[in-house]
Amino acid sequence: MSTSKNARTTRIRAALAAAIVAGLGCATLSATPAAAADEPLTVQYRQSATGSSQAEPWFKAVNTGTAPVSLAQVKIRYYFKADAGASSYSFACSWAVRGCANITGTFGALARPTATADRYLEIGFTAGAGTLAPGADTGDMQLRFHRSNWQPLNQNDDYSFGPAQTAYGNWSKVTASVGGTPVWGTAPEGNDPGPGPDPTDPPTGGAALFDDFNYTSHTDPAIGAHGWSVRSNAGGPGVPGATWAAQNVTFAKEGSNSIMNLETSTAGTPGTTKHTEILTRAMKFKNGTYAARVRFSDAPKSGPDGDRVVQTFFTINDLKAPMADDYAEYDFEYLPNGGWGEPANILYTTSWETYRPDPWEAVNQHSSVRASYAGWHDLVLTIDDSSITYYVDGQLFGRHDARYLPERPMSINFNQWLIDLAGQTSTTPRAYDQKVDYVLHVKDQLLTPAQVATKIAAYRAAGTTFEDTVPASQ
């Protein structure tokens, strides 16, 4: 399964090098309502399309308060009336100053429909969108949505639509909240947004895989009996000529939990480089929730630092042919020392549709944050029929489009490897650790990070260290 990651270095570099097209210049219109003194955020709106193929609400969020605002805490809602026979809508970002990868769009239904609104498009931001200083704005967010089957839509009966709003201006028919607290706009009657409860009790039932990695060593027969393979075969990704050392996947108790450790080591030559990986033998995982608690490391446990290390949790299937449309891959990848053109630590989440290794061509979408993620982190990925969503430590990290959804089931993998040997050229031996506490997959159910935590606590309270009720075929 791992051979489909052979071209990783080239692939991500190509994705990062994608050009950002220039945005359209728009005059700002000073219009009522003005921001009240106690409102830390206002939303400016203009429409870019009045036709029937798709709606194009463009926004700017403006910090009108006196303190910085984290965009990850901001939600903007645009309200509309669903068209007759329309069961689903699709969101897209055409261009944004803050980067389309840092903007999310989800649809919801109103609890109290009105004549002009029964649905809403909620715009959110990942951690990579950064903060808004007092007086600053996000710049253009050129957004659009359409019926998933591309049938005509009617905007004229939509609550938030302003056909005459052809230049940016404050627009009270969209709402904004910061940290769940409403700060701007007026919702359709009886539908004011507010802090919704984050459910902690997971849905009952549902096929699931849970593993606490309570094993003695890489040769423990239970590993194979539970469907795992500790990799020892040759091949990519990473340093050509390196080996995949099964003996470097170890298990030990830390407190009351059993922890899996993946050690990657090198003395600066391909022959001394040892990568590590563990993966499920079966490709039987598709829609639902994936979660793991992983400890990333910024520094080696011994020897000089500087190697371009990749520490991962991902799900993947095999590339059957170049540009095959049934390929799928969804990654958490942490680079503590940079790599792929990045000078320092960065965390990626990447959703793959397909690729061709030679000549290189890739179809993917990624989100990233350039910061240290050393230490333990709760990683959650959810996949349904409309989007792929990534969370880190309970916070939304990225949401990717329906075009990247999987067509076939996948395996679940953890690995740690070196991109190359150019980051640290010393021949002094060094070794890096990546630790894993548990892994969870719940088939066809989208769990919140809080629900994942509740489910893990229930497994441990019951003394369950392993469960796999996921059927062999989807």
Side-chain angles (χ1 to χ4, degrees), residues 16 100 118 165 284 341 376-377 412 448 452:
L16 293 175
C100 281
D118 55 13
Q165 194 76 3
K284 63 176 185 175
W376 284 104
H377 295 283
I412 295 175
T448 67
V452 168

Side-chain angles (χ1 to χ4, degrees), residues 64 76 80 112 184 201 212 231 293 309 336 357 363 369 425 472:
T64 51
I76 298 170
F80 65 98
R112 290 166 288 279
W184 173 258
D201 292 333
D212 214 14
R231 185 177 176 185
R293 183 165 173 79
V309 185
V363 183
V369 172
T425 58

Side-chain angles (χ1 to χ4, degrees), residues 135-217:
D137 66 61
T138 58
D140 275 340
M141 293 184 282
Q142 299 180 7
L143 314 178
R144 54 191 170 88
F145 67 92
H146 56 84
R147 294 174 65 171
S148 297
N149 59 8
W150 282 103
Q151 291 298 305
L153 55 76
N154 175 26
Q155 297 189 72
N156 292 319
D157 60 355
D158 292 346
Y159 175 85
S160 295
F161 179 57
Q165 194 76 3
T166 57
Y168 278 114
N170 291 351
W171 193 246
S172 64
K173 288 192 172 185
V174 296
T175 60
S177 61
V178 178
T181 300
V183 297
W184 173 258
T186 304
E189 184 176 0
N191 290 281
D192 290 335
D198 184 11
T200 57
D201 292 333
T204 58
L209 165 71
F210 169 71
D211 203 327
D212 214 14
F213 295 114
N214 190 20
Y215 303 113
T216 58
S217 73

